[in-house]
Amino acid sequence: MMMPCFKQRTDKKRKEADLDCLLHRKSIEYRIRLLKYIKNARAGHTGGSLSCVDILNVLYNCVLNVSPETADDPRRDRYIQSKGHSVEALYVVLADRGFFPESDLETLCRFRSPYVGHPTRKIRGIEHNTGALGHGLAFGAGAALAGKMDGLGYRVFVLLGDGELAEGSNWESMMTAAHYGLDNLTAIVDRNQLQITGRTEEVCALESLVDKFAAFGWSVREVDGHDVTALRKVLSSVPFEVGRPSVVIAHTVKGKGVSFMENDAKWHHGVPSDEEYERAMEELRAQLEEAEP
Amino acid sequence: MSGAAAMETAKANLDVFSETLLALARKNRNILVVTSDSRGSGKLVPFAQALPGQIVEVGIAEQNLVGIAAGLASAGKIVFAVSPGSFLTARSLEQIKNDVCYSDHPVKLVGISSGVSYGALGSTHHSLHDLAVLRAIPNCTIVVPADNFETAEAVKAAAEMPHPVFLRFGKRPMPPLHRPGTKFTVGKSLLVRRGNDIAFIATGETVVQAAGACDLLAREGISARVLSMHTVKPLDEEAVLQAAQECGAVVTVEEHSCAGGLGEACAAVLLQSGVSVPFRIVGFPDEETVSGSQLDMMAYYGISPEGLAETARTLLNRKRL
Ligand SMILES: [Mg+2]
């Protein structure tokens, strides 16, 4: 459906290796771009965007059956970013997929720009306005339920933050999704271990998350949330069980890709200084060179 | 129609809501009801029996109720999210604000047993804040029908609306207030009694109380106008201004806190248009309320034919000064 096509290769394994190589490069490019727009706007949720961008990369380039042309098609797959604050990652991926010109992002967070600091439906490709936490899963469950009722084959993917899971509304929706057997619904937890105050386990312990989801009737998988190959495989194999909603706990690093931003809660919505920005770009450009095919 | 005959045909607006919705839903399988363990109090058991595939139960989880309703609506469903007004508009206010109104998914939010319908159950079950909080949220039409006719028309109108709407119902039988052939339009108030000495602008289950006051005042030679302001937002500003200018005194009446509801909405229209007339907001005061039946509670705070007539006399004295 949306899989990029590689003409020279015939062998399936080689094709997949090429695809993963391309995805890997794309992730680095996305990091470069999202930092550029955050720097330009002097605002943004840097750490979380860097932690979830590989997930978004794989979803939009390999998994989701949606494109600018099919963004209103009732049969399209739906993506809902419940952790709305990581909108910069979503914006650069949607721009790359052609939902809007990337130059629009020059206006990010500017006066009267529709590109505000959390997702809104004013932007083509965005399904739901999010930002207040604990809302995306109920919405996704409703959309998934409608798909079941109408026999439309679409899937719904909801990205949750780990800190966000303290919102009780998530657990209400988990119960409902399991009750209705919504196997067309997949939640992905960006498990970067951090929230704005510090470590999730110190703020309000979440573990064991696997056991909690399983106890709520979900089929659970864990994955390295920066390994595009592993992400591609796990997200392409939903539902994990017929009749159950699926959850992927993606182990990630907040601030991933920029050494001094990694695993540091201060980059939750930190904006790099000129010097920090240059250092970040140097690191990312070096990664890009290393990733040359 | 005599009072006794009127009460014979009177049903609770809630019953009319569920009957009207069932009739609509039989013809359109996209119409869904979402409930939070509230089908009984919403009089929706017959709906569930008749159309089990068109009711979604989410359990006692109002935040979930509204979020799921928004998701269903986003996929083209015509969704009535039904829960007691007290919980629907407080527990799930953020879902109403973001998932429904800001995101503009056309959910029909239905607050059942609203105001002090649950009377003696106490303040946890009263919704005296709902109009105030919802008025402050953009993209939410607010309709509070007064009688069975207004209820049926409001439900039919809501089903067609492309944007969010809140409907508020009580559960006491309501006598008919309008003649056959009356036309109901969301956003346009309905004239219940003609009169030019003073105007009652009332909403929901208080309209019949204002009509009762009008009848008492008529015996004293006072002609009171009664408007059913079923749509609290957007407000029929023209009718409010006309009532003040033609009657010279206005009493607003609502089964809601005096803060932030219909009365303050009318006051803002009048003052900002430079119209100053003797004016009184009758509703629930900013304090912990007494408890009791809906009628006893309303009467205690002056929402009864006698209480409203007395308020009118006071205003008329000021008007004559
Ligand atoms: Mg986190």
Side-chain angles (χ1 to χ4, degrees), chain A residues 121 128 135 150 173 176 180, chain B residues 57 64 77 94 99 102-103:
Chain A
R121 295 178 67 213
H128 190 50
H135 288 250
D150 291 344
S173 310
T176 310
Y180 285 101
Chain B
E57 177 62 69
N64 202 30
K77 297 295 178 188
E94 194 178 75
D99 298 325
Y102 176 43
S103 295

Side-chain angles (χ1 to χ4, degrees), chain A residues 83 161-163 190-195 200 254:
Chain A
K83 53 168 295 189
D162 50 3
D190 182 4
R191 184 71 175 109
N192 60 28
Q193 302 281 340
L194 288 176
Q195 57 193 103
T200 59
K254 200 158 178 166

Side-chain angles (χ1 to χ4, degrees), chain B residues 84-89 111-118 122-131 166 168-169 255-257:
Chain B
S86 53
F87 314 132
L88 179 67
T89 60
I112 55 173
S113 304
S114 290
V116 293
S117 288
Y118 281 130
S123 284
T124 53
H125 283 58
H126 300 159
S127 61
L128 296 171
H129 63 280
D130 49 344
L131 303 182
F166 173 68
R168 187 196 210 236
F169 299 120
E255 188 183 352
H256 184 269
S257 168

Side-chain angles (χ1 to χ4, degrees), chain B residues 106-152:
Chain B
V107 175
K108 296 90 181 64
L109 302 155
V110 182
I112 55 173
S113 304
S114 290
V116 293
S117 288
Y118 281 130
L121 297 188
S123 284
T124 53
H125 283 58
H126 300 159
S127 61
L128 296 171
H129 63 280
D130 49 344
L131 303 182
V133 296
L134 295 179
R135 276 184 65 223
I137 293 175
N139 195 27
C140 187
T141 298
I142 302 172
V143 183
V144 191
D147 71 351
N148 296 172
F149 161 74
E150 289 187 12
T151 298

